[in-house]
Amino acid sequence: MIRRTTALLAVAAALAGCSSGQGTPAATSAPTATPGRLAVYRELTQCIRTHGMPGFPDVVPDPRTGKITLPPGTREPTAAVMRACRSIADRLPPEGRSRPPVTAADVAKLRRFAACMRSNGLRDWPDPDADGDFPLSRRLLGLGKKGMKRQLEACKEHFPANGLSIKNPEGS
């Protein structure tokens, strides 16, 4: 599964290293707005604005459900913004993140997945970074899931249970 997020919860996950740069919104459940959590989301939004995205929109707590979201079509922060705001995103409670922290065992499994992808024809498939993200080249991003179907099928035994976390190293 390749993720890109439009809920602030998923932006927080992106700030923690879970973005794809693909432009395909993922279905994700946003956390409910409690005063403390909402304050951290607002602080995160301000940090994003301060570090290069002045037009980043405010979070929107749904009055009916209490879920925290962003307006549809919100652009994901760049890699530089994500790095600058990571300390705030790390303060979000676990339900405000889309995946648990990556362990050494997870990274080892992701490396086996990467080796499998390379041995099945995608010779430029990278190893995961320390956060478990795959920084894909523009060429690989351009292939999309359909362009990797054969390799994904061949490597399904190594496919991560939480899906793939793809990021565009160029930050766009």
Side-chain angles (χ1 to χ4, degrees), residues 1-4 13-22 76-80 82-83 86 99 125-138 140-141 164-172:
M1 174 174 148
I2 298 177
R3 294 175 225 161
R4 174 151 173 129
L15 293 172
C18 291
S19 67
S20 73
Q22 279 293 83
E76 187 172 324
T78 64
M82 295 186 312
R83 281 189 301 275
R86 186 174 198 139
R99 75 173 184 193
W125 188 273
D127 277 331
D129 64 18
D131 293 323
D133 299 324
F134 288 98
L136 296 189
S137 66
R138 187 177 301 244
L140 289 171
L141 288 170
L164 292 180
S165 180
I166 305 296
K167 71 179 180 183
N168 179 346
E170 296 162 8
S172 58

Side-chain angles (χ1 to χ4, degrees), residues 145-156:
K145 200 157 102 175
K146 287 183 181 181
M148 301 176 194
K149 187 175 182 176
R150 183 180 63 78
Q151 291 84 1
L152 291 169
E153 182 63 31
C155 300
K156 67 182 174 186

Side-chain angles (χ1 to χ4, degrees), residues 4-168:
R4 174 151 173 129
T5 58
T6 57
L8 189 54
L9 129 74
V11 170
L15 293 172
C18 291
S19 67
S20 73
Q22 279 293 83
T24 309
T28 183
S29 60
T32 47
T34 61
R37 186 177 299 137
L38 191 54
V40 176
Y41 280 111
R42 287 183 175 144
E43 187 179 346
L44 179 60
T45 299
Q46 188 57 47
C47 181
I48 292 168
R49 290 176 182 153
T50 301
H51 288 90
M53 297 184 72
F56 197 80
D58 288 325
V59 295
V60 180
D62 186 311
R64 291 174 292 135
T65 64
K67 301 291 183 186
I68 299 171
T69 62
L70 286 171
T74 299
R75 284 185 20 150
E76 187 172 324
T78 64
V81 171
M82 295 186 312
R83 281 189 301 275
C85 299
R86 186 174 198 139
S87 65
I88 298 168
D90 286 347
R91 292 191 351 245
L92 289 169
E95 66 270 16
R97 298 186 184 138
S98 66
R99 75 173 184 193
V102 178
T103 66
D106 295 333
V107 173
K109 184 171 183 174
L110 292 170
R111 284 191 181 123
R112 289 191 295 276
F113 174 79
C116 182
M117 293 293 278
R118 288 190 294 267
S119 69
N120 280 281
L122 292 176
R123 300 202 192 296
D124 56 339
W125 188 273
D127 277 331
D129 64 18
D131 293 323
D133 299 324
F134 288 98
L136 296 189
S137 66
R138 187 177 301 244
R139 185 191 84 76
L140 289 171
L141 288 170
L143 289 175
K145 200 157 102 175
K146 287 183 181 181
M148 301 176 194
K149 187 175 182 176
R150 183 180 63 78
Q151 291 84 1
L152 291 169
E153 182 63 31
C155 300
K156 67 182 174 186
E157 72 183 84
H158 303 293
F159 200 81
N162 293 335
L164 292 180
S165 180
I166 305 296
K167 71 179 180 183
N168 179 346

